[in-house]
Amino acid sequence: MDTNSSSTTALIDRFGRRIDYLRLSVTDRCDLRCSYCMPKGYKGFEEPDNWLRFDEITRVVAAFSRMSVGRVRLTGGEPLLRRGLPQLVEQLSTLPAVRDISLSTNATQLHRHAQALRAAGVDRINVSLDSLDKACVEKITGRDSFGSVMAGLQAGKRAGFTPIKLNMVVMRGVNDHEIPRMVQFCFEEGFILRLIEAMPMGETGRNSQYMDLGPVRDQLVRDFHLQPAAIEIGGGPARYWQTADGRGKLGFISPISQHFCATCNRVRMGVDGTLYMCLGQDEKFELRPLLRSGISDAGLEEAIRNAIELKPEKHEFNENRHKIIRFMSQTGG
């Protein structure tokens, strides 16, 4: 392995955007079947032999980190289904330029792993929870998972993750009536709620009762006397508002009604080592064949730079809603 010819030049795409955030899928498996993410009966999972090993993942993250990518988020599927995940976190946390390791989870397994993940180096977590109604959660996820998610949230608080963000995909006629209740719950519990527009990825995403969050935001600003947040919260696309005392915070992710393509700072890597440049476009670049053919560190960095050159200017969810046929779970969230 060639370890002495790395580059420290920042990763800039052809539209002048600095890429400093890698979303990293460690599995495409999940124990839930959320209606907007993975269809019931789905069998198109990647073969485990094609999953990147922990040493391969660490090599890729190290290459990104030498190019000033300091934020890493572990995703899935459900990342807590990947055995030995704290071991991977420990490896990533030793990389000098990695300054922030976070985790996206459905929290059904979090009560078992929260302490170990926090000790290994996970700083903060995002938890998917679309409803506070047990029956609605079961309808959306395909499983009676509400109790285990709530137990996971409390375990996350005890472990000391900060912040803990709750992701609520808003679906018209499904859970939109619960938004005020969810806001109040998060303010009381010290969580940061993020309301998300459903993205039309695969047949599941296109059938998710899309709802424009603009009017929702305006109503919540009035009802809860919110003002724009004074500081950045994480490195993602959410636009945040807060209560006057700053104790309650609320984020909006609106890729359809108010896209954030001009400031997109991330790429995604699937469990098989495929880099995805955009959720709403087809451009991708496969790293696994290069890693398993003995590519040098310098060659790996060059390959990543070549991949970033494929990153498109914007998605086409508004113009071409049927373009992307892969499901969210295949891309890494």
Side-chain angles (χ1 to χ4, degrees), residues 213-223 241 252:
L213 287 182
V216 174
R217 180 198 59 230
D218 296 342
Q219 187 65 49
L220 292 175
V221 167
R222 290 191 295 267
D223 292 348
W241 295 72
F252 297 86

Side-chain angles (χ1 to χ4, degrees), residues 192 272 281 314:
I192 297 176
D272 64 346
Q281 298 285 11
K314 62 179 183 177

Side-chain angles (χ1 to χ4, degrees), residues 34-324:
C34 295
S35 56
Y36 49 82
C37 182
M38 187 188 300
K40 293 179 181 179
Y42 177 71
K43 302 294 185 182
F45 298 109
E46 190 62 61
E47 291 296 327
D49 286 347
N50 291 335
W51 295 2
L52 290 194
R53 304 184 303 268
F54 284 176
D55 63 307
E56 293 172 325
I57 293 173
T58 302
R59 266 199 85 191
V60 171
V61 175
F64 270 101
S65 72
R66 291 192 295 270
M67 295 179 282
S68 301
V69 176
R71 299 180 187 270
V72 177
R73 175 170 294 278
L74 303 176
T75 70
E78 171 45 49
L80 298 187
L81 297 183
R82 181 78 183 254
R83 290 184 180 178
L85 190 60
Q87 176 188 343
L88 174 63
V89 174
E90 288 179 354
Q91 294 177 16
L92 300 182
S93 66
T94 64
L95 299 173
V98 174
R99 66 184 187 278
D100 178 58
I101 301 176
S102 55
L103 173 79
S104 290
T105 175
N106 63 29
T108 61
Q109 312 292 321
L110 187 59
H111 62 286
R112 297 189 181 97
H113 303 291
Q115 292 287 351
L117 288 166
R118 184 69 188 96
V122 174
D123 301 301
R124 52 197 178 87
I125 58 174
N126 290 4
V127 173
S128 297
L129 182 63
D130 299 316
S131 172
L132 293 173
D133 179 82
K134 181 179 178 180
C136 186
V137 169
E138 185 170 359
K139 178 182 178 182
I140 294 171
T141 68
R143 176 184 155 191
D144 179 9
S145 57
F146 182 74
S148 58
V149 173
M150 297 304 287
L153 284 170
Q154 294 307 312
K157 291 178 72 171
R158 291 192 298 271
F161 293 112
T162 181
I164 296 176
K165 299 177 183 178
L166 265 60
N167 290 342
M168 178 184 185
V169 177
V170 179
M171 293 166 280
R172 186 181 303 278
V174 178
N175 63 350
D176 55 310
H177 63 286
E178 287 196 68
I179 294 174
R181 180 185 176 197
M182 185 71 84
V183 172
Q184 193 64 48
F185 168 75
C186 288
F187 284 0
E188 291 173 356
E189 291 288 330
F191 303 137
I192 297 176
L193 176 63
R194 307 198 310 170
L195 301 176
I196 303 174
E197 291 177 348
M199 287 178 278
M201 293 188 62
E203 203 60 37
T204 52
R206 287 190 286 274
N207 293 330
S208 295
Q209 294 84 30
Y210 164 76
M211 186 169 179
D212 184 342
L213 287 182
V216 174
R217 180 198 59 230
D218 296 342
Q219 187 65 49
L220 292 175
V221 167
R222 290 191 295 267
D223 292 348
F224 290 90
H225 308 291
L226 303 177
Q227 56 194 34
I231 59 173
E232 176 187 326
I233 305 173
R239 296 175 172 93
Y240 288 96
W241 295 72
Q242 64 184 28
T243 55
D245 60 8
R247 296 177 64 183
K249 296 182 175 63
L250 175 63
F252 297 86
I253 300 179
S254 49
I256 310 300
S257 66
Q258 191 180 11
H259 73 75
F260 36 83
C261 300
T263 57
C264 183
N265 64 340
R266 77 220 59 172
V267 293
R268 292 167 170 81
M269 187 169 76
V271 65
D272 64 346
T274 300
L275 291 177
Y276 295 99
M277 303 300 117
C278 175
L279 282 177
Q281 298 285 11
D282 292 325
E283 287 81 1
K284 61 184 180 180
F285 191 100
E286 296 183 6
L287 292 179
R288 188 184 75 242
L290 302 178
L291 291 166
R292 296 187 178 176
S293 64
I295 192 171
S296 68
D297 284 352
L300 181 58
E301 290 180 30
E302 182 181 4
I304 291 171
R305 290 189 184 278
N306 290 337
I308 296 302
E309 286 296 302
L310 301 175
K311 188 171 175 63
E313 184 177 12
K314 62 179 183 177
H315 65 65
E316 295 180 355
F317 285 142
N318 293 324
E319 300 90 341
N320 193 350
R321 294 176 65 83
H322 294 270
K323 179 174 182 178
I324 300 300

